[in-house]
Amino acid sequence: MKTIEIINARARKPEWSMAEPVNFSLEEGEHIAIVGRNGAGKSMFVDMLTGRHPAFPDMVRYGFDEPYDNLKHISFRDTYGGDNDRTYFLQQRWNQMEIDEETPTVGQKLEEAYQLAGEDTPARRALQQHIYELFHLEPLLDKYVILLSSGELRKFKLASSLFTNPKVLIMENPFIGLDAQTRDQLKELMAMLVQEQGLQIILVLAKTDEIPEFITHIVEVRDMKVLPKVLWNVECGMRNENTTKAGKPKEIINYSKTNLLPPSSFHTPQHDAVISFNHVTIRYGARTILKDLDWTVRQGEHWSLSGQNGSGKSTLLSLVCADNPQAYACDISLFGHKRGSGESIWDIKRQIGYVSPEMHRSYKQNIPAMQIVASGLKDTVGLYVRANDVEKEQCRKWLGILGVGHLAERPFMEMSSGEQRLVLLARAFVKEPSLLILDEPLHGLDNENRQMVKDLVDHYCQDPEKTLIYVTHYQEELPHCIDHGLFLERH
């Protein structure tokens, strides 16, 4: 029996087209991994599977009634804020007094999803409790959804979808943002749901080395073509057929200080201690996020920042990036100035290049990539001051270095999630800051682009004036230049 079938689908409008007609079927008992390079067309293919692609709604057939209830889709963009999250702004997580008291909590939203899914039975309650324990959700049940970290938000979205008891679940990059233990547990949970409840799973993966064992077939999307599905067999080495080695792009090899803007444009005073935390404690209500933290980052050092989901990594970075007002109540110095001594947040931000899941979540303006990158020169989300010709050339240079120069005029919301991440990385690098903060910078990137970004970070940090803080849950994603590490414990 065919669960989903697409027959000879052709686009009605050129801007929505695949290079060739699409034929695909998901048979009962099959579980698919969709793989391909960033921008290859994976997101468009998923839109076809879900009936959301504007050219193909009548060319998709489902083997069940009411597709809206039986087919659930968790996308990259959903995980960083969905249609009901239009009020999100970059500092909102840290300004709790601005949140409406009627804003739903994690527990309320999860129970709502559970109740909507069907009859309340002991078996379903047992599954609910198992998911709570797996994702450590119980301590978060009274927390506002808007305050969740990116990893916590991803776990919340996964739990919400699993509670609705779908027949087919499509998940885009479900493992990114999760710590190693939770990734392994999620794979075990999905395998259990496949075996015991008959759930069919379609995964869209940028990291092809994360294909779980229960996957039966692979579909590669290449150059806007959906290739025929093939059997997945770990032992036959198919994993390696979908991974390629990457070398440094020509633009990175030729990168040098001669390409930078004049020194007077972005002059940064030199400080021995770029960041200094002295017994810093951060609490929200009864929750202690950071406790008695001493931390000093000196100019030219390259730090990895790690810890489990909810351990306080994003909170720590919000203090460094001048987004969190609790910094004024703590003994914190940045770039040689104690917080609260008269410096503005813009004095701090102009010395920092930053990318994070929260930043990705906050960008919802459908403006061209060039404007997104130029906003990094102004330290704003969105561009409110027109860039001059010199600044535009700097933006083009960094778009080219990140391999997305051809997207300079493409609207942000019309790019794939991986292309968006590369544009936001160009935004972080564009003013060539003295402090580069990369929070999960490789989210959604394919194998080649991950290697390219790692090479770029290593090259950039050869400059002894450049300082780095790098956050990832994957040890293999750390660049070679890392020479210090801070691991945060969850309190």
Side-chain angles (χ1 to χ4, degrees):
M1 176 181 174
K2 290 180 172 58
T3 307
I4 303 176
E5 186 174 29
I6 300 175
I7 302 175
N8 201 33
R10 294 178 179 271
R12 293 175 183 158
K13 296 184 179 182
E15 61 267 30
W16 294 325
S17 65
M18 284 285 188
E20 294 178 353
V22 175
N23 289 279
F24 169 81
S25 67
L26 175 67
E27 306 286 342
E28 190 171 337
E30 291 181 346
H31 309 282
I32 307 290
I34 300 173
V35 301
R37 292 293 309 277
N38 295 132
K42 299 189 298 296
S43 296
M44 183 181 292
F45 180 43
V46 169
D47 284 346
M48 294 169 63
L49 293 172
T50 58
R52 296 193 304 181
H53 195 290
F56 302 103
D58 57 347
M59 296 183 181
V60 183
R61 302 173 183 175
Y62 301 104
F64 43 75
D65 296 328
E66 300 181 1
Y68 179 81
D69 294 325
N70 289 295
L71 176 66
K72 295 297 180 182
H73 173 219
I74 305 176
S75 74
F76 185 92
R77 292 190 184 97
D78 288 340
T79 305
Y80 294 108
D83 292 339
N84 296 324
D85 196 14
R86 300 182 187 279
T87 60
Y88 182 87
F89 62 95
L90 195 55
Q91 290 81 23
Q92 189 167 354
R93 271 185 68 193
W94 321 115
N95 290 273
Q96 293 195 49
M97 70 289 296
E98 300 187 26
I99 299 176
D100 190 328
E101 292 183 358
E102 296 183 1
T103 300
T105 64
V106 171
Q108 290 170 337
K109 295 298 290 183
L110 289 177
E111 184 62 24
E112 179 183 315
Y114 176 90
Q115 294 293 343
L116 287 174
E119 185 179 357
D120 188 358
T121 65
R124 290 193 64 233
R125 283 295 179 188
L127 175 61
Q128 180 191 46
Q129 186 62 32
H130 179 65
I131 293 173
Y132 280 177
E133 293 173 359
L134 170 69
F135 289 154
H136 302 283
L137 289 173
E138 288 184 325
L140 306 178
L141 295 181
D142 62 344
K143 194 173 183 179
Y144 292 127
V145 176
I146 191 68
L147 299 179
L148 296 178
S149 71
S150 59
E152 291 170 338
L153 184 61
R154 179 170 288 271
K155 292 192 287 189
F156 164 75
K157 289 282 188 178
L158 286 167
S160 298
S161 295
L162 291 172
F163 288 165
T164 61
N165 197 30
K167 286 183 168 51
V168 178
L169 181 60
I170 302 176
M171 294 184 282
E172 297 191 36
N173 295 310
F175 305 113
I176 62 174
L178 301 180
D179 55 58
Q181 181 181 17
T182 305
R183 291 197 303 270
D184 291 340
Q185 291 172 335
L186 176 57
K187 289 179 182 179
E188 293 176 7
L189 174 64
M190 288 192 292
M192 183 269 287
L193 294 172
V194 163
Q195 184 174 4
E196 297 182 9
Q197 300 195 19
L199 176 67
Q200 285 188 266
I201 293 179
I202 299 176
L203 302 180
V204 185
L205 298 174
K207 285 175 63 65
T208 54
D209 53 358
E210 288 189 328
I211 299 175
E213 293 184 1
F214 63 80
I215 290 296
T216 61
H217 294 76
I218 284 182
V219 172
E220 183 180 0
V221 183
R222 183 190 306 164
D223 299 326
M224 304 305 289
K225 300 176 184 177
V226 179
L227 303 184
K229 68 182 178 186
V230 295
L231 283 170
W232 163 252
N233 187 330
V234 179
E235 294 180 358
C236 76
M238 284 183 58
R239 185 189 308 266
N240 296 326
E241 293 181 10
N242 292 283
T243 59
T244 55
K245 296 181 180 180
K248 293 182 181 180
K250 183 177 180 181
E251 292 91 339
I252 296 178
I253 295 173
N254 291 337
Y255 172 92
S256 70
K257 285 194 173 183
T258 61
N259 294 327
L260 306 188
L261 291 180
S264 59
S265 298
F266 297 114
H267 176 67
T268 301
Q270 293 191 16
H271 307 289
D272 181 37
V274 176
I275 301 169
S276 179
F277 283 29
N278 184 29
H279 300 295
V280 170
T281 296
I282 299 293
R283 294 187 179 92
Y284 289 103
R287 289 190 179 87
T288 298
I289 310 301
L290 298 174
K291 184 177 181 180
D292 201 30
L293 176 64
D294 290 310
W295 187 41
T296 300
V297 176
R298 303 188 184 282
Q299 187 174 44
E301 293 179 345
H302 312 127
W303 283 77
S304 69
L305 175 61
S306 58
Q308 292 178 304
N309 296 127
S311 60
K313 299 185 297 298
S314 295
T315 300
L316 185 152
L317 295 181
S318 73
L319 297 168
V320 175
C321 294
D323 292 327
N324 193 324
Q326 289 207 41
Y328 294 106
C330 299
D331 187 356
I332 297 175
S333 295
L334 302 174
F335 304 102
H337 296 281
K338 183 176 175 59
R339 289 306 313 272
S341 62
E343 85 292 352
S344 74
I345 64 171
W346 308 112
D347 293 330
I348 296 169
K349 286 181 177 292
R350 71 168 52 99
Q351 301 182 67
I352 299 173
Y354 180 46
V355 69
S356 72
E358 282 79 13
M359 175 168 288
H360 201 151
R361 182 183 176 190
S362 67
Y363 266 98
K364 295 194 173 183
Q365 304 97 327
N366 199 26
I367 59 177
M370 174 68 77
Q371 293 185 34
I372 296 285
V373 177
S375 73
L377 296 169
K378 312 299 181 182
D379 301 305
T380 59
V381 176
L383 186 62
Y384 304 104
V385 179
R386 188 181 298 275
N388 60 39
D389 290 342
V390 174
E391 292 170 333
K392 288 179 180 178
E393 186 60 31
Q394 181 78 347
C395 294
R396 291 190 188 95
K397 183 187 84 170
W398 279 101
L399 284 167
I401 287 174
L402 271 298
V404 286
H406 62 292
L407 300 178
E409 301 305 322
R410 183 174 297 180
F412 189 69
M413 301 306 291
E414 295 179 16
M415 303 176 199
S416 72
S417 59
E419 290 169 335
Q420 289 179 346
R421 180 49 57 101
L422 291 170
V423 169
L424 291 176
L425 281 164
R427 180 192 183 279
F429 278 99
V430 68
K431 62 186 174 186
E432 283 137 16
S434 62
L435 174 58
L436 185 63
I437 300 178
L438 303 180
D439 184 357
E440 299 285 2
L442 309 188
H443 268 193
L445 298 186
D446 60 45
N447 297 347
E448 290 189 26
N449 280 324
R450 290 204 309 275
Q451 186 61 51
M452 180 268 289
V453 172
K454 286 173 60 179
D455 289 345
L456 172 60
V457 172
D458 278 327
H459 188 89
Y460 186 83
C461 288
Q462 289 177 10
D463 187 332
E465 297 181 4
K466 306 302 185 186
T467 307
L468 173 70
I469 302 174
Y470 193 103
V471 182
T472 181
H473 288 293
Y474 296 87
Q475 286 297 310
E476 67 272 17
E477 290 187 352
L478 290 173
H480 295 301
C481 64
I482 295 296
D483 47 29
H484 294 74
L486 175 64
F487 182 87
L488 297 180
E489 297 282 355
R490 186 166 53 205
H491 294 286

